[in-house]
Amino acid sequence: MKSSYFYALLAAYAFLMANAFALTLSPRRLSVGEVTLHGSLNTTCLATRGGTAYLHLDIRTAGFPEPDRSYRPKNIAVVLDRSGSMEHERKLEYAKEAVLRLLDELGSADYLSIIVYDDRVQTLLPRDRVRDKERIRALIRGIRPGGATNLGGGMEAGFREIEEFAGTATVNRVILLSDGRANKGVTNLQELERIARSYRARSVSLSAMGVGLDFNEDLMMGLAGAGGGNYYFIENPRTLASIFETELGGIRRIALQNATVRLSPGRGVRVRDVIGYEFEADGRDILIPVGDLAANDRREFIVELSIPPGSGSVRIASGTLSYAGCDETLPAFTADARYSDDVADVRRGTNWEIQAKADLALSTREVDRAMRSLDAGRPEEAGAILSAARTAVTSSAAVANAPAVAPQARAQERALLKFEAAVRDSSADANRVKKSVQFENYRLRKPRP
């Protein structure tokens, strides 16, 4: 009897330990809130000869607690450029003030690390809980300008500080700030993006802040895209503190990390582009990195598809959304259509709202093309591209038939007119024009709630 009692206790203890271990190490369950993925085509009826179609992906999170009602510890690495150029216009002083303001907003449950770099990389504050704020303030105030710009080394050091304890229990973000071009260490854009992408896969995201007019905007935008965070063009260093506040506000609202759409095209269907976003092939499937999703967020993507000739009904695409710690049924969609050789039938199948959103997305892609022309020293060509893009939006039949999209279309028209005027202004600094246009186009594509 005693023996059976002893073994019962032992079994109960083993059960409790096993479940305690599972509770600690298993992926986080979606205990609150809901995440949905919808996929809709710009038409339900395709011409039998095939052609181009557009798929609208709509991701939403709802019912998640806002930051005033929940608290997830933050795991932040600030990677700060202290090269000699940061001394100009007191950029380094404003950056230090911004980091001090960030520090004020962090609590004792949060983690912070600070890396500074010029031609050398120094871990000023190894990752630690934010407890002794006075000591951290003294370290920040003591930062002084130095030499060249080893941006890649600083970025990697920031990732290393975060990665050891990164997971879904904390919100993990590297904030990279620079006013110059990477000219020491790893300088290749593709390699730097590869590094950022590899850490994003471990639920560590990166936001990139370019200060002034001398940084490489293509590099910083590329890093933010690959890293799943945000990009900022900060022309006036006095605004750095408010930009840091905006970034921290977004970090506080993160509900799901490292979200990815897996898109499976139907037979013969080919993905040409995910307009404004990076994507990669995984066999026949396409992976679209979404990055972190905030509480009560919405993300929209337009996927350009090449449709083969055919007849009857056909599956155009299906997809699922996954995210870090996901151990539930994945949000999913399917998108079907039918073929017809009747032109009127094809027209009746048009979803005007989706087509209007596709037309607006295509205009942002034209802005990218115009900026490449401007970069090549062809401002008149850039202006012509922007003018044609604006005309396409204003004359779009889809926009005229989609009242819900009209406010967004009017904002896009105004932005394109402004961009065109900027690139045609011979007295304007082309470097400044390109940075400001690219940043505004970035915000048109990736609005945040």
Side-chain angles (χ1 to χ4, degrees), residues 376-387:
R378 300 192 297 270
E380 285 304 315
E381 181 179 280
I385 293 170
L386 292 168
S387 178

Side-chain angles (χ1 to χ4, degrees), residues 207-289:
S207 288
M209 299 183 177
V211 187
L213 296 177
D214 295 325
F215 70 92
N216 182 337
E217 61 274 15
D218 296 325
L219 168 62
M220 298 300 266
M221 283 184 67
L223 287 177
N230 304 306
Y231 164 68
Y232 302 89
F233 164 43
I234 307 166
E235 184 177 1
N236 185 345
R238 291 183 180 86
T239 64
L240 269 167
S242 65
I243 298 297
F244 266 70
E245 286 176 4
T246 298
E247 176 70 3
L248 182 59
I251 293 171
R252 280 183 175 140
R253 298 182 63 247
I254 289 173
L256 305 172
Q257 297 180 67
N258 192 28
T260 302
V261 172
R262 176 178 287 275
L263 183 65
S264 301
R267 174 176 286 187
V269 176
R270 183 169 58 86
V271 173
R272 289 181 183 156
D273 193 13
V274 181
I275 300 174
Y277 291 84
E278 65 170 28
F279 63 97
E280 59 184 87
D282 183 25
R284 287 204 68 251
D285 289 354
I286 294 295
L287 302 180
I288 307 171

Side-chain angles (χ1 to χ4, degrees), residues 35-289:
V35 57
T36 58
L37 169 67
H38 296 287
S40 305
L41 290 165
N42 66 324
T43 182
T44 58
C45 188
L46 304 163
T48 53
R49 66 179 181 279
T52 300
Y54 296 96
L55 173 68
H56 175 251
L57 300 179
D58 190 353
I59 301 168
R60 305 191 195 200
T61 61
F64 288 88
E66 289 287 352
D68 59 338
R69 290 185 283 121
S70 70
Y71 187 76
R72 293 177 68 200
K74 291 167 283 298
N75 183 14
I76 297 174
V78 176
V79 181
L80 185 61
D81 185 348
R82 66 165 181 191
S83 60
S85 58
M86 284 290 289
E87 194 168 14
H88 303 155
E89 302 181 72
R90 303 186 63 235
K91 284 180 281 192
L92 185 58
E93 291 306 310
Y94 287 118
K96 286 157 62 174
E97 181 61 34
V99 180
L100 287 168
R101 292 266 289 275
L102 172 71
L103 176 65
D104 289 340
E105 296 298 319
L106 298 178
S108 59
D110 297 321
Y111 296 90
L112 178 67
S113 49
I114 301 173
I115 291 86
V116 292
Y117 66 94
D118 49 4
D119 49 337
R120 297 181 304 110
V121 176
Q122 177 189 1
T123 301
L124 191 69
L125 175 70
R127 179 190 180 277
D128 199 3
R129 288 191 184 272
V130 180
R131 288 172 175 156
D132 189 350
K133 288 192 176 183
E134 283 308 311
R135 180 179 72 87
I136 300 173
R137 286 190 187 99
L139 289 172
I140 295 168
R141 292 187 181 115
I143 298 172
R144 297 289 180 266
T149 307
N150 187 354
L151 182 147
M155 181 185 76
E156 287 190 272
F159 279 131
R160 286 195 298 270
E161 284 299 319
I162 280 187
E163 73 166 326
E164 184 179 354
F165 297 98
T168 56
T170 56
V171 178
N172 313 295
R173 177 68 56 87
V174 173
I175 301 174
L176 172 67
L177 183 146
S178 180
D179 78 329
R181 298 173 181 268
N183 53 27
K184 292 283 288 186
V186 179
T187 60
N188 179 268
L189 171 60
Q190 286 72 33
E191 176 60 16
L192 291 169
E193 288 183 359
R194 185 199 64 76
I195 293 168
R197 201 173 289 114
S198 71
Y199 279 95
R200 184 192 62 210
R202 299 173 230 177
S203 298
V204 181
S205 56
L206 176 137
S207 288
M209 299 183 177
V211 187
L213 296 177
D214 295 325
F215 70 92
N216 182 337
E217 61 274 15
D218 296 325
L219 168 62
M220 298 300 266
M221 283 184 67
L223 287 177
N230 304 306
Y231 164 68
Y232 302 89
F233 164 43
I234 307 166
E235 184 177 1
N236 185 345
R238 291 183 180 86
T239 64
L240 269 167
S242 65
I243 298 297
F244 266 70
E245 286 176 4
T246 298
E247 176 70 3
L248 182 59
I251 293 171
R252 280 183 175 140
R253 298 182 63 247
I254 289 173
L256 305 172
Q257 297 180 67
N258 192 28
T260 302
V261 172
R262 176 178 287 275
L263 183 65
S264 301
R267 174 176 286 187
V269 176
R270 183 169 58 86
V271 173
R272 289 181 183 156
D273 193 13
V274 181
I275 300 174
Y277 291 84
E278 65 170 28
F279 63 97
E280 59 184 87
D282 183 25
R284 287 204 68 251
D285 289 354
I286 294 295
L287 302 180
I288 307 171

